Amino acid sequence: MENRATLENQTYLLPREAAQYTRLSLSRLNRLRSIGGGPVFIAQSSRKYLYRKSDLDKWLGDLARTNNSGGMA
């Protein structure tokens, strides 16, 4: 993750880095950004996005389950 930028004690990741961090494919992360249900992101422009590492951690934590009933399709 050599392109990380730190601003105000926050670590910002590019989409490719965020995909690696969350162990999603880049295309899956992009799709979640498009349809919703994915982690919070920052739109710097219509073609440039950033993810805060803390938001990725929160999103992953929110996915934690103790069983698979009523789970994801």
Side-chain angles (χ1 to χ4, degrees), residues 1-21 44 48-54 56-57:
M1 290 190 245
E2 54 277 335
N3 290 328
R4 287 189 307 191
T6 303
L7 183 64
E8 298 178 18
N9 297 323
Q10 289 286 328
T11 299
Y12 294 85
L13 303 175
L14 297 169
R16 185 172 308 280
E17 295 168 324
Q20 289 176 334
Y21 183 76
Q44 286 189 305
K48 186 168 183 184
Y49 305 98
L50 293 173
Y51 293 87
R52 281 186 294 247
K53 187 175 177 284
S54 59
L56 297 173
D57 290 336

Side-chain angles (χ1 to χ4, degrees), residues 7-51:
L7 183 64
E8 298 178 18
N9 297 323
Q10 289 286 328
T11 299
Y12 294 85
L13 303 175
L14 297 169
R16 185 172 308 280
E17 295 168 324
Q20 289 176 334
Y21 183 76
T22 58
R23 296 181 182 238
L24 295 172
S25 68
L26 180 57
S27 62
R28 179 67 177 151
L29 183 64
N30 289 340
R31 181 147 172 75
L32 288 171
R33 187 176 63 240
S34 175
I35 64 173
V40 172
F41 62 92
I42 299 165
Q44 286 189 305
S45 71
S46 63
R47 296 181 69 166
K48 186 168 183 184
Y49 305 98
L50 293 173
Y51 293 87

